[in-house]
Amino acid sequence: MEEPLLNTPLVDYHVALGARMAPFAGWNMPVQYSEGILAEHRHCRTATSLFDICHMGEFRVAGPQAAADLDRILARSVLDQALNTCRYNFLLNEQAGVLDDLIVYRFAEDEFFLVVNAGTRSHDVDWIQPRLSPSTSFEDESDAIAKLDLQGPQSAAVLAELGLSIDRQPAYYRFLTLTLWGLPLLISRTGYTGERGFELYFPVAAAGQVWETILATPGVKPAGLGARDTLRLEMGFPLYGHEMDETITPVEAGFGAMLKLEKPREFIGSEVLRDPVRGRPRRRLFGFRLESRRAARHGAAILIDGRQVGVVTSGAVAPSLDIAVAMGYVDAEFDLKPGDAVGLDAGKTVLPATVANTPFYTAGTARA
Amino acid sequence: MKYYAETHEWVEIVDGIATVGITEFAAEELGDLTYVEMPAIGAVFAAGEVFGSVESVKAASDIYAPLAGKVCEINDALETNPEVLNEAAEGDGWICRFSDVDQSGLSKLMSREDYLKSIGK
């Protein structure tokens, strides 16, 4: 029997706003509000959007061996990660397949905060916990922490209006902890939209209060997972379960340059990644630009001269570009370059597409 | 007078020409529509046969011919402005017109009242 869907603490607020709710990773989540995905997407690209991301998981890992433990469990080092910074990272299995992609926050020399995907959270717990030293503490704080993403070019001004002046706001991929609105708040300059933005973490009991306070600020509108998906797709950001899963290595997913494979550092999966045979990418992730708004969808075959060479992992209209785009894996023997032509199977017809650089959308303000 | 199919298309026959579209309910359920796949002019379809599709941000959905007939006109405006479907699915958002219509199929379609009842409205 299917497990009942989980609700975030904000479900009643979503319903009151006319949200269309749908299951995602075991959660009952808002896909869109009354204005629709396209309007929400454009609002985030031009103003400020607020996303309920309470479904994601948060772990706290601490102790004198925590850094060494995580350095062995995660694909990118945490030992050289500065305090008060965030780092995108990967949890790999022994075959170097991606069990999860996550963000690591370094609170202190001996204390870390891991933000993980909702659908992988419980498996991550089962994977990480037994691999920690006895002295390292592990807390799954997901149920106690609310997460809201405030994203858009005006988000810094919105935060300033809400009491955190721009000069106090964290820089890109940095975070700070403070008391704001009477609450202990963790705020990082991170996000999944390609726009300047922040991710806010605070006690779950305050979720409704914070949601309403932020939404009452002029220029802020709610956005659902539908817009979150088109925003991340325009940036070429991977979505776990689409561009990554436990059979795909981070090298295949295009993150090879982020990984430092030189010895002596060893991490789970490093042996395979260093092996010239076992570690050789079998496929590579590419972006594709179509010729109209007609989209190729997850699972569609990628064709060259009528022969299948790969599979689409995400595809939809890119609202900022007004054409459809896609991402997908192509067998490694095909060394594709931007501009190369492929076909994407849409059932009754094959849609012409060209290999494109990502991000597809290049005017994002994330680092501005 | 419009007739409605269980598969959420509508049809209205004027002077033997059937104008076909998707219902306002279907357009609302699909969300923002971004692309309409049109049939070729002159193509012949049986009742219940897929003659095109509409795409939203999230998914593509087939559209079925409510009656048998031959495509004689398509709504070009939808190619550049598919959002008309969200604004007026049962008006300016019509999809195509059929000639040589087999009107005997009307008996298998619903009145507006029955259609609204079928979707719980």
Side-chain angles (χ1 to χ4, degrees):
Chain A
M1 211 177 89
E2 294 250 324
E3 302 252 335
L5 290 176
L6 300 165
N7 282 315
T8 81
L10 297 169
V11 62
D12 293 342
Y13 295 84
H14 301 319
V15 171
L17 285 166
R20 184 172 300 183
M21 307 296 289
F24 176 80
W27 291 76
N28 178 36
M29 296 299 290
V31 171
Q32 61 164 82
Y33 299 88
S34 49
E35 289 190 19
I37 294 172
L38 297 177
E40 290 167 26
H41 179 109
R42 291 183 185 119
H43 191 78
C44 187
R45 287 268 180 258
T46 54
T48 311
S49 298
L50 185 65
F51 301 77
D52 175 8
I53 308 297
C54 291
H55 58 306
M56 285 181 73
E58 295 89 10
F59 309 148
R60 191 179 300 264
V61 182
Q65 289 298 314
D69 288 350
L70 290 175
D71 201 65
R72 153 112 199 129
I73 291 170
L74 298 172
R76 299 184 69 198
S77 180
V78 302
L79 295 179
D80 63 355
Q81 182 174 345
L83 300 189
N84 302 315
T85 64
C86 308
R87 183 171 282 182
Y88 182 54
N89 215 321
F90 307 96
L91 190 66
L92 305 184
N93 60 24
E94 300 288 353
Q95 292 73 44
V98 181
L99 295 171
D100 204 356
D101 64 331
L102 66 158
I103 306 261
V104 176
Y105 292 64
R106 188 164 200 175
F107 284 174
E109 287 298 328
D110 58 356
E111 187 179 3
F112 297 85
F113 189 67
L114 277 49
V115 179
V116 305
N117 284 298
T120 45
R121 169 184 156 198
S122 70
H123 186 258
D124 290 353
V125 173
D126 294 343
W127 180 267
I128 295 170
Q129 253 188 324
R131 288 171 171 79
L132 298 171
S133 303
S135 66
T136 302
S137 66
F138 178 94
E139 290 296 330
D140 179 355
E141 299 186 344
S142 311
D143 295 337
I145 293 178
K147 176 175 188 285
L148 295 180
D149 288 11
L150 187 69
Q151 301 278 303
Q154 300 304 317
S155 58
V158 167
L159 263 192
E161 181 129 335
L162 288 167
L164 185 64
S165 58
I166 287 179
D167 60 313
R168 292 165 67 208
Q169 293 173 9
Y172 185 67
Y173 263 66
R174 297 185 69 87
F175 69 86
L176 59 97
T177 52
L178 75 168
T179 300
L180 191 66
W181 317 316
L183 295 168
L185 192 72
L186 165 63
I187 176 163
S188 59
R189 173 82 187 275
T190 49
Y192 196 44
T193 62
E195 298 302 333
R196 178 185 301 197
F198 302 89
E199 297 183 283
L200 283 64
Y201 306 82
F202 50 90
V204 73
Q209 171 208 331
V210 175
W211 175 262
E212 288 199 306
T213 300
I214 295 176
L215 275 190
T217 314
V220 183
K221 290 183 178 184
L225 291 191
R228 184 170 164 87
D229 194 41
T230 52
L231 288 159
R232 72 91 195 169
L233 177 60
E234 284 189 341
M235 297 309 296
F237 294 156
L239 171 62
Y240 195 84
H242 287 252
E243 284 71 39
M244 285 182 187
D245 62 39
E246 57 191 58
T247 71
I248 294 169
T249 73
V251 176
E252 291 173 327
F255 295 98
M258 276 190 178
L259 302 177
K260 297 202 177 82
L261 298 175
E262 296 81 23
K263 288 191 175 185
R265 182 173 173 249
E266 296 286 350
F267 56 91
I268 296 172
S270 62
E271 204 180 313
V272 167
L273 289 174
R274 274 200 288 262
D275 188 303
V277 177
R278 287 189 299 158
R280 185 164 47 198
R282 288 156 296 169
R283 57 202 156 178
R284 287 184 190 281
L285 187 63
F286 286 96
F288 301 97
R289 190 182 275 261
L290 289 90
E291 293 184 351
S292 76
R293 280 181 292 227
R294 187 170 192 188
R297 306 289 176 173
H298 177 85
I302 300 170
L303 308 166
I304 293 179
D305 298 330
R307 173 181 160 208
Q308 181 167 1
V309 299
V311 64
V312 170
T313 48
S314 292
V317 73
S320 310
L321 308 177
D322 207 28
I323 52 154
V325 298
M327 289 197 285
Y329 280 97
V330 173
D331 298 344
E333 62 183 279
F334 297 93
D335 186 24
L336 298 180
K337 308 254 179 313
D340 286 354
V342 299
L344 304 178
D345 189 0
K348 284 163 288 185
T349 178
V350 174
L351 304 175
T354 50
V355 175
N357 287 319
T358 54
F360 300 105
Y361 177 74
T362 53
T365 56
R367 292 166 190 261
Chain B
M1 158 174 183
K2 286 195 179 80
Y3 291 83
Y4 293 81
E6 278 174 16
T7 46
H8 310 290
E9 294 82 15
W10 58 268
V11 56
E12 184 168 32
I13 301 177
V14 176
D15 295 335
I17 300 294
T19 302
V20 173
I22 64 168
T23 66
E24 286 166 1
F25 171 77
E28 167 68 23
E29 284 293 300
L30 291 165
D32 291 331
L33 291 163
T34 54
Y35 183 82
V36 183
E37 183 202 356
M38 293 288 184
I41 288 178
V44 174
F45 294 95
E49 192 177 353
V50 173
F51 74 91
S53 64
V54 287
E55 289 194 11
S56 69
V57 180
K58 302 295 286 179
S61 305
D62 286 335
I63 32 184
Y64 299 87
L67 295 172
K70 180 172 160 185
V71 177
C72 61
E73 189 180 350
I74 60 171
N75 187 355
D76 292 327
L78 296 182
E79 286 183 28
T80 45
N81 289 313
E83 58 270 24
V84 174
L85 264 173
N86 288 106
E87 291 155 9
E90 298 190 24
D92 289 344
W94 62 275
I95 291 172
C96 64
R97 295 201 165 107
F98 287 83
S99 64
D100 304 324
V101 179
D102 176 9
Q103 297 200 22
S104 70
L106 285 174
S107 61
K108 292 187 178 143
L109 301 175
M110 289 178 270
S111 67
R112 179 170 178 82
E113 194 186 356
D114 287 345
Y115 174 70
L116 291 177
K117 228 180 273 171
S118 76
I119 57 174
K121 298 267 163 161

